[in-house]
Amino acid sequence: MAVLRPERGVAPASPTAWAERVIETDRRAGLLRRPREREGGSGHRCSVDGRPVVVFSSNDYLGLAAHPEVRDAAARAALELGVGSTGSRHLSGGHRGIGELEEELASFLGSATATLAPSGYAANVAVLEALGGPDATILSDAHNHASLIDGCRAARSRVEVYRHLDAAHLEGRLRGVAGRAVIVTDAVFSTDGTAPDLRALDRLARSHGAWLVVDEAHALGTTGPGGRGLAAAQGVGGDHVVRVVTLSKALGSAGGAICGTATLRQLLLQRGRALIFSTALPHPSVAAATAALRLLSARPELVERLGDVARRLRAGLGDAAAPAASPRSPIVAVPTGDAERTMRLDAALWQRGYLVQGLRPPTVPAGSCRLRLVASAVHTDAEVDGVAAAVTDLL
Ligand SMILES: Cc1ncc(COP(=O)(O)O)c(C=O)c1O
């Protein structure tokens, strides 16, 4: 999606004048972003811009960001070990907690290895830097997350974008690829909760000797057996399959991990610049993610509850909700058309006590603005019914 820019060829009076013109162009197009101020912590009830709200925009699918055991683990890690990790593992050594979390994640996901990165964003960039290169072609779903798009750029590969969820289009694109191929897709698309037919993508990957990279950011903890993600749900695996997970969403912490073979891990540690040249996760984040993973593993009913909340939310929104991969997908999109109307609805919902994010370009393609509602296992039925009624009423 092209970002609007002021006219080319007109020299600005100063660097700051240029920046002001860019901002003004976005403002005139109704695309100016203004992050709101939040008080009261990470729970699903807090205060935003001074108003108490129930949060329906966070990625804290299981309510673990503020869970007492997760907080406690983070606090103890800070007291026992310190805060910062002091450098990347190449520089300062890999802290034991990082190694332990990698082993637990790999075991939970049934993967030979997991390699932590400072964020989910960095994990996606690192994996494409490692697998890509000038001799490769990356085939990327048209709706992939910005971190995968940036990873494609950092990989210095040829990039072919195939139509959203369209395996037949991907197949056509693959036929034109002469050398190595890397197929990359989100598992659950973050703006509408749709999901690819991974088996079809896997068949294509196998027949073309390609890597298949699956970003499970919104699938870990929400999808598949016990929240093990879409590849687990569809029985897709093998040495060529790479799963990226984030620790920042259902696990309520921060960080990312890349899961695959021991060889993949070796390659990442040599070629994944985004994880080699960036400070490793701080101890509290590692400890929090480990505690959250243990809770997810011990309490699969959290994932069940999330599915029930999501189904109730979707049912309450009725025809206003766009179709998703499953009625239990926690991401529910409500199409709203143009940016101005979308942000008016977003503001009106905030006034009624609900934090719901309106999405505009470049997050979504022009003309497809939407409200994005996200269910969490900790929402009560009354909260879900309340937001659904408010959205329906305002529409
Ligand atoms: C699909 C997807 N992948 C990756 C990321 C990046 O994850 P993180 O926020 O942990 O950097 C996000 C976050 O918004 C995402 O939605």
Side-chain angles (χ1 to χ4, degrees):
M1 147 69 30
V3 176
L4 295 170
R5 290 278 183 230
E7 334 78 84
R8 286 166 189 273
V10 184
S14 71
T16 301
W18 170 84
E20 281 166 353
R21 265 188 13 219
V22 172
I23 294 164
E24 180 56 19
T25 310
D26 283 353
R27 195 188 61 73
R28 273 201 243 119
L31 299 179
L32 200 65
R33 295 167 189 257
R34 190 187 66 82
R36 293 176 266 216
E37 192 176 283
R38 175 166 169 162
E39 281 175 279
S42 302
H44 79 291
R45 283 172 173 275
C46 65
S47 164
V48 167
D49 281 352
R51 183 179 289 276
V53 290
V54 184
V55 178
F56 276 92
S57 63
S58 106
N59 296 316
D60 184 24
Y61 294 112
L62 303 175
L64 298 181
H67 191 286
E69 286 177 35
V70 176
R71 294 176 190 217
D72 190 55
R76 272 190 288 116
L79 291 173
E80 284 166 20
L81 302 171
V83 178
S85 65
T86 76
S88 93
R89 74 176 89 203
H90 294 69
L91 199 67
S92 298
H95 293 280
R96 174 169 294 180
I98 288 184
E100 283 170 359
L101 175 53
E102 289 177 336
E103 278 175 25
E104 290 192 32
L105 256 180
S107 146
F108 179 76
L109 291 169
S111 170
T113 68
T115 305
L116 288 198
S119 66
Y121 184 101
N124 276 338
V125 174
V127 74
L128 293 177
E129 283 170 333
L131 300 182
D135 62 326
T137 300
I138 302 178
L139 299 110
S140 175
D141 185 290
H143 289 192
N144 273 345
H145 187 257
S147 54
L148 291 174
I149 296 171
D150 291 355
C152 287
R153 291 174 181 151
R156 294 168 301 124
S157 304
R158 203 176 118 208
V159 179
E160 294 278 352
V161 176
Y162 63 90
R163 282 196 292 265
H164 182 45
L165 304 178
D166 191 339
H169 193 229
L170 168 62
E171 186 171 16
R173 293 273 152 139
L174 266 170
R175 271 197 228 106
V177 174
R180 293 192 306 114
V182 180
I183 300 168
V184 60
T185 181
D186 277 9
V188 173
F189 285 85
S190 60
T191 59
D192 60 8
T194 52
D197 177 352
L198 272 190
R199 287 197 199 108
L201 300 196
D202 188 41
R203 275 194 296 277
L204 292 174
R206 285 173 189 271
S207 64
H208 287 80
W211 292 99
L212 175 59
V213 178
V214 184
D215 177 2
E216 301 260 20
H218 295 276
L220 177 69
T222 73
T223 307
R228 285 172 174 76
L230 190 72
Q234 297 192 8
V236 166
D239 286 0
H240 64 296
V241 176
V242 179
R243 286 176 285 169
V244 179
V245 295
T246 51
L247 315 178
S248 55
K249 305 195 191 307
L251 296 184
S253 179
I258 302 141
C259 305
T261 61
T263 307
L264 174 80
R265 179 178 166 86
Q266 273 308 316
L267 189 70
L268 286 165
L269 295 177
Q270 314 313 313
R271 298 285 167 87
R273 294 167 62 89
L275 66 82
I276 297 170
F277 295 104
S278 187
T279 300
L281 282 171
H283 305 300
S285 302
V286 173
T290 306
L293 180 64
R294 288 177 187 165
L295 280 166
L296 171 59
S297 181
R299 298 190 48 203
E301 68 274 14
L302 284 173
V303 184
E304 285 304 305
R305 168 69 192 158
L306 173 65
D308 292 345
V309 173
R311 193 169 44 194
R312 188 177 186 99
L313 178 60
R314 186 170 288 281
L317 290 164
D319 291 343
S326 135
R328 296 173 72 82
S329 168
I331 301 171
V332 185
V334 173
T336 47
D338 72 81
E340 217 173 289
R341 174 168 185 249
T342 306
M343 299 323 284
R344 267 204 317 273
L345 288 164
D346 168 315
L349 284 163
W350 168 77
Q351 274 175 345
R352 293 190 183 202
Y354 299 105
L355 187 62
V356 172
Q357 191 59 50
L359 302 186
R360 299 165 286 174
T363 308
V364 292
S368 72
C369 296
R370 64 200 68 167
L371 295 172
R372 174 182 185 259
L373 290 95
V374 185
S376 169
V378 289
H379 284 134
T380 64
D381 289 352
E383 288 165 346
V384 171
D385 296 346
V387 77
V391 171
T392 316
D393 183 38
L394 286 167
L395 283 175

